[in-house]
Amino acid sequence: MGLGAYIAVSAVLFAIGVVCIVARRNMIYVLMGIEMILNAANINFVAFNRFNGDAMDGRMFAIFVIILAAAEAAVALGIVLNVYHLFESIKPGDADLMRD
Amino acid sequence: MDDKLQKPFYALLGVVTLGLLGWGASSAGAQGVAFGLFTALTLGGSLICVWERSVVRSAFSLMGTFTGVAGLFLLLGADFLAVAQILIYVGGILALILFGVMLSPPDLAERKLSRVLGGLALMLGAVAWVGSKVAGTVTWATADVLPEPSTKVDEIGVGFLDPEGYVVPFELAAMILTVALVAAVYIARRKASDLTDPRAEERA
Amino acid sequence: MDFLQFNPEVDFKLLLAVPLIPLVGYVVQIFFGRFLPRKGDWLLTAGMFATMCITVLMAAKAISHGFSSSEPFFHLSKDVGMSFSWFYQEGKDAADPLNMTAGLLYDGLGAAMLAVVGIVSFFVHLFSTGYMKGDKRYHIFFANISLFTVAMLGLVLSDNILFLFVFWEIMGLMSYLLIGHFSHDPSTPFFHRWATWASKKAFLTTRVGDCCLLIGMMMFWQNFQTFQFTELWRLTSEEVARNGGEWPQWMTIAGLFIFGGTVGKSAQFPLHIWLPDAMAGPTPVSAMIHAATMVAAGVFLLGRTFPILSPDVLAIVTATGAVTALFAATIGVTAFDLKAVLAWSTISQLGFMVAAIGTGGIGLVAGLFHMVTHAFFKSCLFLSAGSVIHGCHHEQDMRKMGGLRKRMPLTFLAMGISTLAIAGIPMFSGFYSKDKIIQAAFMKTSLEFSGAQAFACFALPVAAALTAFYMFRMMFMTFAGEYRGDVAEGHGHGHDDHHDDHDHHIVHSEDGGIAGGHPGPVPHESPLPMTLSLLVLATLGFLGGKFWLADLDILAHSKPWFMKLVSPEKMYPGIELMNGYGAQVTDAMLKSTYDSAHTWAMIISLFVASAGIFGAWWIYGPRLRTTGQAVVRWTWTIVCLVLAYLFGVPLVGSLIEGADTLVVVAAWIIGLGLLGYVLMRTTKWIVGVFAGLSRPAPENIADGFGELYVAVANKYYIDEVVDASVIRLSMLASKFLRWFDETIVDGLVLLIGRINRSGGGVSAWFDQKVVDGAVNGVGALTQTFGFIARLFQTGRIQQYASFAVAGGLAVAAWLLLG
């Protein structure tokens, strides 16, 4: 399969991730959408790496992205739990203390 | 109305999957079938994730996405990355999300189908439009004959520790992980003041 | 004896330690006193004991030196190294007048005064440990009284008038704090107000004198560029000699200003008004002020500055002193408050001292001598009065006392001795000094007649008679007869529980001390620290003038100790006094006048004393009619013995003058016995005579004097006059100034303000319309845009994410289409 097929998959995954973040009224979905977007980015990294001489750089970046994703997930989950504790809700729109 | 659309949605997913498999088989044989399968797994999982009303189902469907991406990594010759993807995403992050799901209240009424479908249409339309524009004009410099993919794991370890390579980002990543995990523990920790049982006061 | 030899090295340090010990005690006490056991009174009392020991040792050295030679004891300051520069300026010559040195001046006068201050202060401290017990500000009281003592000790030791002035001012401040001691105790409303008012009065009145002293001091500095006493003496005498014996006018004026300091501090007419009210302070404070410290400072200043006072000043000094002595004595006769009697007697005695110093010569020494003896017996009198007041539950009105002799025998003994001393009875210290004062006045008058001197010759003996009168009046009213105070029924108590009672008195006199002692238990003797102090001071009041037990020279044919120690030649060594007698007075004249004046002074002072005592007995003494025959006989016997002693002894003594001591004593005993016997035998007759006469009641006598009595009892309306003149004038002046301030000054300020305001109106219009308009316009614009921007700022992260994606797509579209 050519590079374009992978990029197309990555693009569609990215689009679905954005919809997941924006359309659902739940912080967990926001988290999951972010994971999708990161995965889409990873597919691109690895695919371009593969089709551009297989010089390891893309793969290394993918690994760093995975590491950051893991850290982000842990912190985000802590935030979600704290938000729920404070606002009795995990709707992103309800955490609006900083508004105005 | 939601429940009526459930079956057509999954039916559509099945049709798309079959279409993908067929298109893969026709274009690249066995490898194409594998590509179609993994693509269907990835995109189908994420679509179910967006579509489904229940967070638990969404989270489990996300497992399909992660597994599919791992399969695509395999197809791209990145064996180690595929294994790490499965280990970290499916074994770690997904478990983490499931914990979050368990610790937060279910809210089955929050999904607005119009928003999901509208968003999907908008975004996929945008992607299709950009793709059509790009596919026509941009050409990527790709090698005609792909080299054998390297399967040695130790290359990655050497890359991490090579002073010419990625030792600084590696250390930074280690630092970020440590700090993030400590911060996560700190944020999620319940304060001592929160630990008092409100019922104890009522009893008193 | 070796240890009585003068040793500059050691003695300098000892003398420095004299004011430093109580000073250190003060610092410790004021900060940590309340945390110490017994609130730290033992610390300061022990410190004062050490100070007293040093002062007495140094006085012993001075006496052992001063008696044996005609040279001054030691007169050390700048030259000998007993000094330190305290205002030293780099780059100026060491001899520059602005490079000031401070040192110790310790001569016979300083030795005597220092010892007196040390002794009296120590016993006042000791007395206070009993008297002030239970006071709320006990530790503060001790700290203050200690600093008060430091000020006086430093003042005595100062070798320059500037340092003397510094200590003088410290003393003024401490007197203010101590007189106002009760002003912090709202539990005694009367004292609370009175003490506040009295302390202010004392401070402000003495301030007038202080200003005078400062001006006089500066006038001398302007002319002589020095503050050193020794330099001032020398330069003055040289200046007058250069002037051919004429005193420059500025010197007279400056001398008057310096005397003004004495008038304020030593409560001379007309600035005496603060002293009677100073008894608002605790009694030990009164004892300090009246005896050793405050008022003595003024007299001491006269002693230190005597050579720079011109004859004109001295005449005024004498006149002021004589007036003060006489008029204060008359007021003392009418006072009913126990402490007021003593206060007026102090003013009167100070008048004696000042008048004597004004006469110069032996008068100078006699005045200073009287200051010393007066310190002993007046401190004893005040402490005894404190003991009486303490015993009578803070009753101060003598009309509510009486019959205390049996209840307070030790106090009676001490007070009796001191009263005899102040009345001028031979053997007692006051006799020797007062006798000399009257002698000095006679001498001066007979040698150089002047109006002031003649007036002093008349006023001083009359004042002495009145002194004897009012002092014995006080004794009779307080100690004789029956107790006239209220005694609470069923509240008798023994000696065991009176300690609890002391706390009770001071802390709980709700109805305010002097205004009315409340009915309490019968009067009782005071505790040991108080009576011990009384008896020691009474002993000094007895023998302090002349230690006649040693030589039996009762009539002072030889010089008393003070006159051996202090003389003009020893006080001002090497200075030729220019304000003494004129050239026409020869030494022979001086000698012959001395003897005749001495005889006359003695006769007159004995006469006035006995007349005063008899008058007091006649009016206030116990009524024979009302007591039994045995009491009549016994009382009369005492009177006979006193009369026999008063008239018989001097007669015999003067008859056989020059005879052997043993013969004098024998003749004295025989004469006394004979006279006593004769008088006793005639008792019945005399009693008959007196019983036949009706003795007048005090009230009738007072009525007989009519308006005069009222005037005297109201202190000659001096307070009222001051109130109407000085204070009212000040008030009028301040009212005028206030009017001036409010109308003229404020008017000007307001005018300028109005001008500014109208200018400001224009500016404000411009500011509001133009500047603010521009600023507001910008603000409104910003607000409008902000309102629009705010629509996007919903705070919903998902909207933000949508915007981000939309932005990304827009960029992509722009790139692809552009």
Side-chain angles (χ1 to χ4, degrees), chain C residues 188 389-394 498 500-510 518 521 524:
Chain C
T188 56
I389 291 164
H390 190 241
C392 291
H393 319 294
H394 287 255
H498 67 219
D500 310 330
D501 228 52
H502 296 149
D503 307 344
H504 173 69
H505 302 155
I506 291 196
V507 180
H508 301 297
S509 47
E510 297 90 351
H518 51 81
H524 54 79

Side-chain angles (χ1 to χ4, degrees), chain C residues 327-383:
Chain C
F327 101 102
T330 56
I331 295 172
V333 170
T334 61
F336 283 110
D337 188 310
L338 183 60
K339 282 172 81 175
V341 173
L342 294 175
W344 287 109
S345 99
T346 302
I347 298 176
S348 176
Q349 301 301 310
L350 287 165
F352 273 96
M353 298 172 209
V354 169
I357 289 175
T359 61
I362 65 157
L364 169 65
V365 182
L368 298 169
F369 186 25
H370 197 55
M371 172 176 73
V372 169
T373 55
H374 176 260
F376 290 139
F377 56 69
K378 185 49 66 67
S379 60
C380 180
L381 278 171
F382 254 106
L383 295 184

Side-chain angles (χ1 to χ4, degrees), chain A residues 24-25 29 39 50 57 85, chain B residues 50 52 58 66 85 147 166:
Chain A
R24 301 298 295 258
R25 294 282 184 266
Y29 281 97
N39 267 307
R50 172 75 181 135
D57 291 358
H85 179 68
Chain B
V50 180
E52 270 298 339
S58 298
F66 294 151
Q85 168 85 4
Y166 297 92

Side-chain angles (χ1 to χ4, degrees), chain B residues 68-93:
Chain B
V69 172
L72 290 177
F73 287 164
L74 271 180
L75 285 182
L76 287 167
D79 304 351
F80 175 76
L81 210 53
V83 174
Q85 168 85 4
I86 297 230
L87 273 178
I88 292 172
Y89 271 100
V90 182
I93 292 174

Side-chain angles (χ1 to χ4, degrees), chain C residues 199-499:
Chain C
S199 57
K200 263 191 279 184
K201 187 175 176 183
F203 194 68
L204 292 176
T205 312
T206 51
R207 190 78 357 195
V208 177
D210 297 350
C211 286
C212 290
L213 175 56
L214 188 63
I215 293 168
M217 199 171 100
M218 284 307 159
M219 284 177 79
F220 273 104
W221 194 82
Q222 193 196 2
N223 285 281
F224 292 151
Q225 276 83 42
T226 182
F227 287 124
Q228 302 284 329
F229 285 125
T230 48
E231 292 293 295
L232 283 175
W233 300 335
R234 187 178 59 78
L235 289 168
T236 305
S237 114
E238 284 173 4
E239 175 84 11
V240 175
R242 206 170 22 252
N243 232 359
E246 288 293 309
W247 288 70
Q249 190 145 26
W250 71 264
M251 227 180 255
T252 303
I253 294 167
L256 276 178
F257 274 119
I258 285 187
F259 176 60
T262 301
V263 170
K265 213 69 160 181
S266 289
Q268 297 299 296
F269 179 86
L271 295 183
H272 65 281
I273 48 176
W274 66 272
L275 190 58
D277 283 309
M279 64 184 177
T283 305
V285 174
S286 304
M288 286 288 270
I289 289 176
H290 288 260
T293 52
M294 188 87 171
V295 296
V299 180
F300 184 81
L301 174 73
L302 279 188
R304 276 278 184 255
T305 57
F306 181 77
I308 63 175
L309 302 177
S310 72
D312 294 338
V313 175
L314 290 181
I316 289 168
V317 169
T318 307
T320 310
V323 167
T324 309
L326 184 59
F327 101 102
T330 56
I331 295 172
V333 170
T334 61
F336 283 110
D337 188 310
L338 183 60
K339 282 172 81 175
V341 173
L342 294 175
W344 287 109
S345 99
T346 302
I347 298 176
S348 176
Q349 301 301 310
L350 287 165
F352 273 96
M353 298 172 209
V354 169
I357 289 175
T359 61
I362 65 157
L364 169 65
V365 182
L368 298 169
F369 186 25
H370 197 55
M371 172 176 73
V372 169
T373 55
H374 176 260
F376 290 139
F377 56 69
K378 185 49 66 67
S379 60
C380 180
L381 278 171
F382 254 106
L383 295 184
S384 303
S387 178
V388 168
I389 291 164
H390 190 241
C392 291
H393 319 294
H394 287 255
E395 179 58 68
Q396 298 196 4
D397 193 332
M398 292 193 296
R399 283 168 293 194
K400 290 188 181 169
M401 296 176 182
L404 296 178
R405 179 171 60 82
K406 287 182 194 124
R407 303 198 196 278
M408 311 177 75
L410 292 175
T411 306
F412 170 68
L413 181 65
M415 204 162 188
I417 290 172
S418 304
T419 303
L420 290 169
I422 195 175
I425 309 298
M427 294 199 292
F428 297 93
S429 59
F431 166 76
Y432 301 100
S433 50
K434 204 182 273 183
D435 178 49
K436 281 279 179 288
I437 288 175
I438 295 176
Q439 179 193 352
F442 286 170
M443 267 181 81
K444 184 81 176 171
T445 313
S446 60
L447 289 172
E448 285 183 346
F449 185 85
S450 73
Q453 306 299 344
F455 178 69
C457 282
F458 158 74
L460 293 184
V462 175
L466 287 172
T467 305
F469 178 80
Y470 66 69
M471 288 311 294
F472 273 85
R473 167 179 177 267
M474 183 195 82
M475 287 299 287
F476 284 129
M477 287 183 84
T478 309
F479 289 102
E482 294 297 319
Y483 183 57
R484 295 183 292 277
D486 305 316
V487 176
E489 292 302 323
H491 200 154
H493 69 105
H495 275 275
D496 297 332
D497 58 353
H498 67 219
H499 277 288

Side-chain angles (χ1 to χ4, degrees), chain C residues 510-529:
Chain C
E510 297 90 351
D511 46 353
I514 180 178
H518 51 81
V522 289
H524 54 79
E525 187 58 275
S526 301
L528 180 67

